[in-house]
Amino acid sequence: MCHPAILTAVSVLGSLAGGVVQAQGIRQQSEAEAQAEERRAQLTDRQKDVNQTQASFERKRTLERLDRVLGDNRAAGAERGLSETGSLTDVADDNAYEAAQDIEAIRYRAEGERGNLAFESSAARERAKSQRRAGRIGAAGAILGGATSAATTLGNAIYSSTSKIS
């Protein structure tokens, strides 16, 4: 049979090693979750750029459509012998007004999406920080738990050996 001191030493070492291994697992899991949150933040940052490019493209298309409509109106008016005054000018002004409204709507939508994505990006980065903090705290708790278990085992062994002497 093994000597009680050897069993106590093995138990103490096992408790300490278990705490360290558990701490390492907690840290790795927290780091993986933090990295996932950082990837979410990067994705929302990229999406902001994509949305901005898309909004610029939509504004450009709206202006190009306006130019085509104005050109078509001028051509149709010229075919009918109309001068670029009166109702032809009113139609052109209405078209320009509608295009300006479309451009403003595109701008407001893009700003809203950019704000939402900036918020989501910031929130994901904050969650990543929290995951890392939780990992450090969890790891410290696991090590403390292992050390406490080891100390309890050691204390019980010392108590048992002193009570046998008495």
Side-chain angles (χ1 to χ4, degrees):
M1 184 153 168
C2 288
H3 191 276
I6 293 173
L7 291 176
T8 300
V10 168
S11 180
V12 166
L13 289 175
S15 294
L16 291 172
V20 169
V21 169
Q22 184 181 7
Q24 184 177 6
I26 290 169
R27 291 288 302 262
Q28 286 176 346
Q29 180 180 357
S30 294
E31 184 59 29
E33 290 171 5
Q35 287 177 355
E37 290 298 339
E38 286 174 351
R39 282 190 298 275
R40 281 186 195 94
Q42 290 170 346
L43 178 63
T44 56
D45 287 340
R46 290 164 94 189
Q47 189 61 46
K48 283 191 305 188
D49 293 339
V50 167
N51 288 359
Q52 191 61 40
T53 301
Q54 184 179 8
S56 294
F57 176 75
E58 288 178 31
R59 285 190 296 268
K60 182 180 175 204
R61 280 188 53 203
T62 299
L63 290 172
E64 288 171 353
R65 261 196 321 267
L66 173 63
D67 285 344
R68 279 194 310 274
V69 167
L70 292 176
D72 290 347
N73 287 348
R74 275 191 224 102
E79 284 178 3
R80 291 183 179 89
L82 300 174
S83 66
E84 290 195 30
T85 60
S87 63
L88 192 57
T89 302
D90 293 341
V91 169
D93 289 346
D94 286 346
N95 288 333
Y97 176 78
E98 288 300 319
Q101 293 291 38
D102 289 347
I103 288 171
E104 280 301 297
I106 291 166
R107 185 176 67 81
Y108 285 131
R109 180 188 47 78
E111 284 178 3
E113 287 176 2
R114 184 174 46 244
N116 289 342
L117 290 168
F119 175 80
E120 177 56 32
S121 178
S122 174
R125 285 191 174 87
E126 199 54 45
R127 287 190 302 266
K129 283 183 197 175
S130 292
Q131 286 294 337
R132 286 194 173 97
R133 270 192 302 261
R136 286 190 298 271
I137 291 168
I143 289 172
L144 183 60
T148 301
S149 178
T152 301
T153 301
L154 190 56
N156 287 340
I158 292 170
Y159 177 75
S160 294
S161 67
T162 58
S163 64
K164 289 179 184 178
I165 297 174
S166 310

